[in-house]
Amino acid sequence: DDIEKDMQQDHNSDQNILHLHSGFIQNCTDELQSEVAQIEAQVKAVSEAEDELQTCTREAEELKHYTRRLCSQTHRFSSKDLTTFSRCDSLRSIGRDEISKYLDCVQQEFEEDLEQAKSLYASCNRSTDEYNTKANHCAGVQIRWERASCDLQKTSALVCSAYVKSCDLEVARFAAIKNQILPAEEGRKSQAKAVEKINCLLTNILQVNASELAGD
């Protein structure tokens, strides 16, 4: 009984050691899951920043092309020959009424052209300002995306490195301890079988002796 008790204690002790080191591996895995959650959050941040950057870049390109067309139109209008007034009839005489009528027409057409030029110029400036604002915003989004991507790369590298160093080390320790314990476990099994045979023999001998004594 003492031998069996000692073997059971040794077995329990070895199992406790294995359970302890398997707990270390589980702790490492739990820590990894926590780090993975952080990486997933960073992946989401990178994806959102990338989507925002693509949208912003597309809108900026559309606004740039619109601004170019608008400002080109402004430039063409401002480059027209202001000495030609197409809507005014040419002078047929140099009479006072004819000249006065022609000058009134020229003044009206000039004022209309001037107002249109002011409107086109203001639209060109406004669209240019809008494009510059959008371009600056996109530049900021670009920086956020680059930083998020960089943070993700750093975190992933650190987590993978830490996991390899700590978790792989614990797994190696568990395997080494298990390899040390297995021979002892096999030895205890053999020892248990031997003890069982001895107990069986002793039981049989005692039973024989008891029978002989009873016969005498």
Side-chain angles (χ1 to χ4, degrees):
D1 291 342
D2 290 339
I3 294 176
E4 293 178 355
K5 184 178 180 181
D6 290 341
M7 287 191 300
Q8 186 63 43
Q9 288 179 348
D10 291 340
H11 171 76
N12 292 340
S13 177
D14 289 342
Q15 291 302 311
N16 287 336
I17 292 174
L18 289 175
H19 180 73
L20 176 64
H21 283 274
S22 67
F24 292 155
I25 296 175
Q26 183 61 47
N27 291 339
C28 182
T29 303
D30 292 341
E31 292 176 1
L32 176 63
Q33 291 299 323
S34 176
E35 297 294 342
V36 167
Q38 179 182 357
I39 291 176
E40 290 176 346
Q42 290 183 335
V43 168
K44 181 179 179 182
V46 171
S47 178
E48 290 176 350
E50 184 176 7
D51 291 343
E52 184 181 359
L53 178 60
Q54 291 176 350
T55 300
C56 188
T57 301
R58 184 182 66 254
E59 292 175 350
E61 281 297 311
E62 293 174 353
L63 187 56
K64 180 174 69 174
H65 291 311
Y66 172 76
T67 302
R68 283 179 175 175
R69 291 195 301 269
L70 189 59
C71 292
S72 294
Q73 181 182 357
T74 303
H75 176 72
R76 288 193 302 271
F77 186 84
S78 62
S79 300
K80 65 180 293 188
D81 186 2
L82 296 179
T83 61
T84 302
F85 300 95
S86 57
R87 297 192 298 272
C88 298
D89 296 333
S90 300
L91 285 173
R92 295 186 178 87
S93 66
I94 56 174
R96 177 180 297 180
D97 292 339
E98 190 72 19
I99 294 175
S100 177
K101 183 178 179 181
Y102 178 76
L103 290 177
D104 289 341
C105 177
V106 167
Q107 182 179 0
Q108 181 179 356
E109 184 172 343
F110 177 79
E111 289 177 351
E112 290 175 355
D113 287 348
L114 180 60
E115 288 301 317
Q116 185 175 356
K118 288 180 179 180
S119 177
L120 288 172
Y121 184 76
S123 298
C124 174
N125 284 344
R126 183 169 55 254
S127 185
T128 300
D129 291 340
E130 291 176 357
Y131 168 73
N132 289 334
T133 300
K134 175 63 74 173
N136 290 334
H137 175 70
C138 291
V141 175
Q142 174 79 25
I143 292 174
R144 290 200 301 274
W145 174 76
E146 291 175 352
R147 288 177 178 174
S149 300
C150 184
D151 290 343
L152 175 60
Q153 292 177 358
K154 289 180 179 178
T155 301
S156 300
L158 289 174
V159 169
C160 291
S161 176
Y163 180 77
V164 169
K165 289 181 180 178
S166 61
C167 292
D168 283 5
L169 179 61
E170 292 300 338
V171 171
R173 285 177 178 172
F174 178 84
I177 293 173
K178 185 176 181 180
N179 290 335
Q180 293 175 356
I181 290 176
L182 283 178
E185 284 288 296
E186 293 298 326
R188 280 191 287 270
K189 289 179 181 179
S190 298
Q191 188 177 6
K193 291 179 181 179
V195 169
E196 185 178 355
K197 289 181 180 180
I198 293 173
N199 288 335
C200 182
L201 289 173
L202 290 174
T203 300
N204 291 334
I205 291 172
L206 291 173
Q207 289 177 350
V208 170
N209 290 338
S211 297
E212 291 177 351
L213 290 173
D216 294 343

